[in-house]
Amino acid sequence: MKETRITPRITRGNFLRVMGAGAVAGSTLSVLACQPNTNAQQSGGNGGGGGGDAKKLNFYNWSDYVAESTVPGFEKKFDVKVQQDFYSSNEELLAKLQAGGTGYDVIVPSDYMVSIMRKSDVLMKLEKDKIPNMKNLDPDFKGLSYDPNNDYSATYQWGTTGILYNPEIVKGEVTGWDVMWDERYEGKIGMLNDVRETFGASLKRLGYSLNSTDEAELDEAQDELEKQKPLLRGYFGSPEGGDLVVGGDLALAHVFSGDGFSAIAENDKLVYIIPDQGATRWTDNMAIPNGAPNPDLAHKFINYILDAEVGAELSNYTYYGCPNEAAFPMIDEAAKNDETIYPPPEVFEKLEVIEDLGEATKDYERRFTEVKSA
Ligand code: N2P
């Protein structure tokens, strides 16, 4: 159930710009782990803190998550500038917002994080009359449990989290999560520096829900992550993991599907799989934080992304799932037929969406800190 992509995409270049590693086991990379993983892409902005420039949109997004044409198209259409900063996990995004004064206009949290952010009152209610293109979204991506009326969010892209590997190094058929614990690949395995994703992988490998709050199951998942840790090169952001597999430093990386596919576009021998035991299916969403300096432009941007043509270009570039029904006819055939982008029902049913676990979130965080500092 792999497959490669036909359309090559422009390479993402230097992984330093989005380095998201927390605890890195490999010595040569440990210095890089200290690099900040947000980085202004354009000069002239402060990535936050400034306010009110009607001609500037501050966009805080996951790395590698816009088409080449997306931002320039918006700048041209509205005669404005877009300042982009990047994050590599939902928790990093939340921490940044909770620290206050970030000055962002549009952010892109995943499902469970929209729920956490709504409860923490960090999101602005959308003025839906300013987003007529909301009608373009597939009904399957509207009214989801984390925001039943789309009062705070509009779907951006969706995808899965799985394993990218190099079959020239990894022997035999790879079907499940066990390979990420295989001693033969010691020092060549990278896991995501992402609490819910990495605990999720460990829980799914053990046959449990990735939303488990059962202490015994979580103890077991934590023990397994502690056993795995000496085998790891480190915990990375997803695009970095992909780049390290392309560069040959890693044999296996835990990645978001689109980052796997963009690595495959650079080396078509690489393979992305959705593990047999199941994995994460996530939905990312555009939202406007409270205190955004330019909410008017933020609404224009959200509406622009939901345009059919803009949406098609976005998904044709990112190789993520397209939630825009009006855009779907313009999605590349190769992508539409790729079962790792649009999984068949028997795979889809093994996927789980990360849920907001309320207080138990802290338990996950404490445990992940323990794993990383073990
Ligand atoms: C894009 C990251 C996708 C977001 N590089 C995962 N939720």
Side-chain angles (χ1 to χ4, degrees), residues 3-15 17 64 68 164-166 168 238-248 257-271 317 319:
E3 266 337 311
T4 56
R5 268 189 317 221
I6 315 249
T7 328
R9 61 184 259 187
I10 290 152
T11 60
R12 294 160 300 164
N14 187 341
F15 71 79
R17 70 186 165 78
D64 280 335
E68 295 283 297
L164 172 73
Y165 71 98
N166 182 345
E168 288 179 335
S238 177
E240 296 79 67
D243 284 344
L244 289 167
V245 175
V246 171
S257 44
D259 294 315
F261 303 140
S262 71
I264 292 168
E266 293 182 49
N267 173 358
D268 65 10
K269 293 199 176 65
L270 304 180
V271 180
Y317 178 85
Y319 301 112

Side-chain angles (χ1 to χ4, degrees), residues 85-143:
D85 283 355
F86 306 97
Y87 52 85
S88 57
S89 73
N90 282 297
E91 289 68 25
E92 185 186 347
L93 164 62
L94 179 65
K96 193 78 172 253
L97 292 191
Q98 285 178 333
T102 56
Y104 295 116
D105 295 302
V106 178
I107 54 172
V108 191
S110 303
D111 27 54
Y112 72 102
M113 189 50 69
V114 172
S115 169
I116 292 174
M117 287 180 168
R118 285 182 54 198
K119 284 191 207 157
S120 336
D121 205 20
V122 295
L123 299 182
M124 190 182 283
K125 206 160 183 179
L126 298 177
E127 292 175 54
K128 283 188 252 178
D129 55 331
K130 293 188 176 168
I131 315 176
N133 285 337
M134 193 81 105
K135 69 173 184 327
N136 289 343
L137 276 178
D138 186 318
D140 282 352
F141 289 96
K142 280 200 264 201

Side-chain angles (χ1 to χ4, degrees), residues 3-72:
E3 266 337 311
T4 56
R5 268 189 317 221
I6 315 249
T7 328
R9 61 184 259 187
I10 290 152
T11 60
R12 294 160 300 164
N14 187 341
F15 71 79
L16 265 181
R17 70 186 165 78
V18 286
M19 194 68 194
V24 175
S27 57
T28 52
L29 286 171
S30 57
V31 167
L32 306 183
C34 302
Q35 301 289 325
N37 57 1
T38 56
N39 187 12
Q41 196 175 58
Q42 291 187 353
S43 57
N46 57 9
D53 181 347
K55 291 273 191 190
K56 193 175 82 175
L57 179 90
N58 291 302
F59 183 31
Y60 194 31
N61 189 14
W62 298 83
S63 40
D64 280 335
Y65 213 25
V66 279
E68 295 283 297
S69 58
T70 310
V71 165

